[in-house]
Amino acid sequence: MTLRLAFLASHGGSAARALVQACRAGELDAEPLALASNNSRSPALAWAREAGLRTAHLSSATSPDPDALDAAIHDFLVGSGADTLVLSGYMKALGPRTLGAFAGRVLNIHPSLLPRHGGRGLYGDRVHESVLAAGDPESGATVHLVTAGIDEGPVLEQVRVPVLPGDTLDTLKARVQAEEAALMLRAVQSLAARHG
Ligand SMILES: Nc1nc2c(c(=O)[nH]1)N[C@@H](CN(C=O)c1ccc(C(=O)N[C@@H](CCC(=O)O)C(=O)O)cc1)CN2
Ligand SMILES: NCC(=O)N[C@@H]1O[C@H](COP(=O)([O-])[O-])[C@@H](O)[C@H]1O
């Protein structure tokens, strides 16, 4: 059965772009349908419009009440016909209504070896800074199923990279991000095979 994909992204949407490219190259049995962003100026939103996906800007600016925002995100994603949701650099907590509608079918990518350097307050560059400050010998990225708690869901796939002497935020981030697209593709391919 072909997966029906939707995405949430706050900035570039790099994982979403990699998955859509894989769909169009026949490497992934899935149909990309929609992308919403909490950032009206996100490059991910502009790219998704160009790519022919349904798009929406949904944030506390469009729905100040958190429950109403969760309902608006739910209605947009469910309305797109998607059955699987990928968080592609989405920096907001997903609400109970949206989580409930896609139970067991929400994937997130996090730029560390969870459970290390995860949780509220740890996102984007802050994660790599936390790894460097801790003096960890290795880092990596994790794809996990999304649950109500931040970064607490079961791990599906991980990739490890070394932390090298002299590493800066930018050098470590580049080494981790170079692995993320393939990691997310592997995780979604496994999900597609499980639901095939
Ligand atoms: N219900 C869930 N929602 C989300 C999860 C999750 O596991 N369960 N993962 C995050 C992604 N993420 C880490 O991978 C993450 C995102 C955001 C934060 C965070 O602390 N955000 C700040 C706000 C930041 C901003 O406004 O830009 C906050 O909430 O105070 C931590 C981890 C996606 N959603
Ligand atoms: N907590 C989630 C998180 O920190 N996600 C990370 O944010 C970056 C988004 O890049 P992008 O906007 O270019 O896709 C990615 O490295 C992703 O792992």
Side-chain angles (χ1 to χ4, degrees):
M1 188 179 70
T2 300
L3 291 183
R4 297 163 65 78
L5 292 181
F7 306 97
L8 291 172
S10 294
H11 304 294
S14 54
R17 295 175 194 235
L19 291 172
V20 170
Q21 189 179 345
C23 293
R24 294 180 176 168
E27 295 162 8
L28 177 60
D29 183 14
E31 189 189 355
L33 296 167
L35 181 142
S37 180
N38 60 305
N39 173 3
S40 60
R41 295 211 186 105
S42 69
L45 213 46
W47 159 79
R49 282 192 201 106
E50 283 295 307
L53 276 63
R54 282 190 199 193
T55 59
H57 164 226
L58 299 168
S59 73
S60 55
T62 57
S63 302
D65 172 62
D67 292 339
L69 177 57
D70 184 21
I73 293 171
H74 168 278
D75 296 352
F76 172 76
L77 297 173
V78 171
S80 76
D83 58 22
T84 302
L85 177 59
V86 172
L87 307 187
S88 177
Y90 187 60
M91 303 308 178
K92 297 294 182 183
L94 207 58
R97 193 190 294 249
T98 306
L99 262 177
F102 293 91
R105 298 184 71 136
V106 186
L107 280 66
N108 176 53
I109 187 156
H110 184 81
S112 77
L113 295 172
L114 291 175
R116 288 185 68 73
H117 310 290
R120 207 171 276 275
L122 286 169
Y123 53 92
D125 290 356
R126 296 175 178 211
V127 178
H128 305 293
E129 287 162 351
S130 176
V131 170
L132 291 168
D136 289 5
E138 63 175 6
S139 186
T142 302
V143 175
H144 64 94
L145 279 177
V146 172
T147 55
I150 299 287
D151 297 335
E152 295 175 1
V155 170
L156 297 175
E157 298 274 354
Q158 281 190 320
V159 61
R160 296 171 180 272
V161 301
V163 179
L164 301 174
D167 258 337
T168 63
L169 163 63
D170 290 338
T171 57
L172 178 59
K173 178 176 168 183
R175 194 172 308 118
V176 171
Q177 287 195 329
E179 303 291 337
E180 291 188 18
L183 184 73
M184 179 58 88
L185 179 55
R186 212 166 47 238
V188 180
Q189 283 169 332
S190 305
L191 189 75
R194 276 201 303 281
H195 292 277

